[in-house]
Amino acid sequence: MTVTNRRAKRLEQLPPYLFIEIDRAKEEAIAAGRDVIDFGVGDPDLPTMRFIVDRMAEAIRDPKNHPYSLGRGTLAFRRAAAAFFQRRFGVELDPATEVLALLGSKEGIGHLPLAAVNPGDVVLTPEPGYPVYVCSAVFAGATCHVMPLEADNGFLPVLEDIPAHVRQAASLMWLNYPNNPTSACAPLSFCEEAVAFAREHGILIAQDAAYSELYFGPPSPSFLQVDGAKDVCVEFHSLSKTYNMTGWRIGFAVGGADTVSALAAVKGNLDSGVFGAVQEAACAALDNSDHVEVRAMLDIYRRRRDVLADGLTRLNWKANRPDATFYLWVPCPQGYDSMTTAKRILDEADVVVVPGVGFGRCGEGFVRFALAVDEGRIREALDRLGRIEW
Ligand SMILES: *Cc1c(COP(=O)(O)O)cnc(C)c1O
């Protein structure tokens, strides 16, 4: 009996990966020596900020940072996260019980259902959305109920539309504001509505705040600003996009002590903590969240956003000017679906964008541009896009 090709059945339940065709076409274009401009990846093109790298360089030489870093994260890191939360959102957190260090927020997002969901439960997932919400529910033996995010409702889910039997069976609801891929923000009134809904139906809200600090308009609230939210809400924060630290793997979860403790119990059996030196560098980041280098980066993204949005508008695309995230979520030209739009843009302009349908069926009709491309290249891409006849 051969076991070399054994794959667990749960892997078959994962949604299909829809970017294969575009990925292949992009690889072929690059291999053929074409000058590809890539708006596809949601990964900053800028280096980690200097003041953080400098702290890391010191921290890595300190032997106290070399062993396992067991537990919920160093107390220094959890205190820095709590202090940041107090400054930024006016929310008091107990570093001992309400903050948990993560190996990047994706790690915590992926493990939360193992800590908070029973097999057979329903998990409410926004669509279009970050694919990990669905995959982690599958791994926990749950089923998903899609909450469509429509432009007409500001890409917020319509909670009244969730059927009664689904509310009954649901134990977890994913939200993500500022949102990837739509770049929508949630006002505090929506946070209040969601918290009241969760309380009424005994559902845990898991809010993915990976983009909370990447803003150009009014800063987005934390769901924990709502009175009593800690009873029904856990929020995931990340240093990845805020400080160009995607490769470093550091984020944190905040919320009620019970949920944080359940997630810590799962993690205690899976990983052995974030490298101590990374946690020390992360303290430097959180202590200096208003650093000139952070503001300079936001200015760069804001300029890129303006150049791209203005340029697309001149080309008759209906581009908006998002208040947060580094994404533009742009309707496809009339008569084209997202896959065909992305394919034509790649074939005819050597420009990569992500087809919206890759984020779920409700993402159809849009393509996503990530602002991880410098201004000069954005202008070049716009020149090329202008030559396509739709
Ligand atoms: C990038 C991203 C994350 C993951 O960030 P890490 O902290 O690097 O794991 C989580 N959620 C969304 C929506 C993202 O786009």
Side-chain angles (χ1 to χ4, degrees):
M1 188 162 63
T2 173
V3 293
T4 52
N5 60 355
R6 183 178 287 170
R7 268 172 83 82
K9 288 202 180 65
R10 65 173 70 85
L11 292 176
E12 288 157 24
Q13 294 164 34
L14 299 179
Y17 182 77
L18 294 177
F19 300 129
I20 292 173
E21 204 187 329
I22 292 285
D23 286 351
R24 193 177 11 185
K26 173 177 140 187
E27 292 311 318
E28 279 171 17
I30 291 168
R34 283 154 57 191
D35 176 27
V36 171
I37 303 178
D38 192 352
F39 292 96
V41 286
D43 196 347
D45 58 316
L46 304 166
T48 304
M49 283 150 206
R50 185 59 192 274
F51 75 98
I52 300 167
V53 174
D54 286 347
R55 176 71 79 86
M56 181 68 175
E58 285 169 35
I60 205 167
R61 291 184 185 281
D62 186 343
K64 90 167 188 308
N65 285 325
H66 296 171
Y68 286 127
S69 173
L70 299 171
R72 297 176 174 206
T74 63
L75 191 55
F77 174 75
R78 285 179 284 149
R79 281 189 176 138
F84 160 76
F85 232 78
Q86 172 67 63
R87 270 195 332 270
R88 167 69 169 83
F89 302 112
V91 171
E92 200 83 50
L93 292 170
D94 177 358
T97 59
E98 296 177 332
V99 181
L100 175 64
L102 301 171
L103 292 149
S105 63
K106 181 183 192 176
E107 178 265 304
I109 292 166
H111 287 140
L112 180 70
L114 294 180
V117 169
N118 287 314
D121 287 359
V122 169
V123 173
L124 301 164
T125 52
E127 199 183 293
Y130 190 55
V132 184
Y133 311 140
V134 171
C135 298
S136 62
V138 168
F139 288 155
T143 54
C144 292
H145 176 85
V146 168
M147 301 185 294
L149 306 184
E150 311 270 6
D152 291 350
N153 199 46
F155 298 108
L156 297 167
V158 181
L159 302 179
E160 302 96 83
D161 286 355
I162 300 169
H165 69 278
V166 174
R167 298 176 189 203
Q168 189 96 47
S171 51
L172 182 65
M173 174 194 286
W174 284 105
L175 295 169
N176 167 217
Y177 294 98
N179 186 256
N180 174 11
T182 69
S183 73
C185 296
L188 189 60
S189 58
F190 175 78
C191 306
E192 287 165 350
E193 188 196 330
V195 166
F197 181 89
R199 188 179 291 287
E200 183 182 345
H201 300 289
I203 296 171
L204 177 68
I205 292 176
Q207 141 72 357
D208 176 355
Y211 295 94
S212 72
E213 303 317 297
L214 233 56
Y215 58 83
F216 322 103
S220 281
S222 162
F223 278 59
L224 296 186
Q225 285 170 234
V226 179
D227 277 344
K230 281 182 196 170
D231 299 341
V232 290
C233 185
V234 57
E235 197 163 72
F236 291 90
H237 286 259
S238 170
L239 282 80
S240 289
K241 317 285 171 36
T242 313
Y243 306 102
N244 305 323
M245 290 175 77
T246 47
W248 297 51
R249 311 317 299 139
I250 176 102
F252 57 95
V254 294
D258 290 343
T259 309
V260 166
S261 149
L263 184 53
V266 170
K267 281 174 56 57
N269 288 291
L270 291 172
D271 66 66
S272 300
V274 180
F275 182 23
V278 169
Q279 294 193 59
E280 209 174 305
C283 289
L286 291 169
D287 290 346
N288 297 282
S289 52
D290 199 27
H291 196 280
V292 286
E293 289 186 63
V294 177
R295 278 181 278 137
M297 176 196 67
L298 291 177
D299 283 342
I300 289 172
Y301 284 138
R302 183 204 313 268
R303 279 203 303 276
R304 290 177 180 181
R305 175 200 70 171
D306 291 346
V307 170
L308 184 58
D310 291 350
L312 287 173
T313 304
R314 273 198 301 277
L315 298 176
N316 290 321
W317 292 70
K318 291 193 186 63
N320 68 337
R321 210 180 274 255
D323 281 339
T325 79
F326 53 31
Y327 301 114
L328 262 68
W329 183 243
V330 184
C332 297
Q334 190 95 47
Y336 292 91
D337 67 19
S338 62
M339 209 52 100
T340 314
T341 303
K343 196 74 180 27
R344 278 201 65 185
I345 288 177
L346 180 55
D347 290 345
E348 298 176 40
D350 292 336
V351 169
V352 177
V353 297
V354 178
V357 74
F359 299 97
R361 231 172 315 149
C362 303
E364 187 50 275
F366 291 83
V367 291
R368 191 192 74 177
F369 289 75
L371 296 171
V373 172
D374 74 40
E375 253 182 80
R377 296 288 279 168
I378 293 175
R379 292 181 201 283
E380 165 68 21
L382 286 164
D383 283 346
R384 296 186 199 169
L385 291 175
R387 286 180 228 131
I388 303 178
E389 306 244 4
W390 296 98

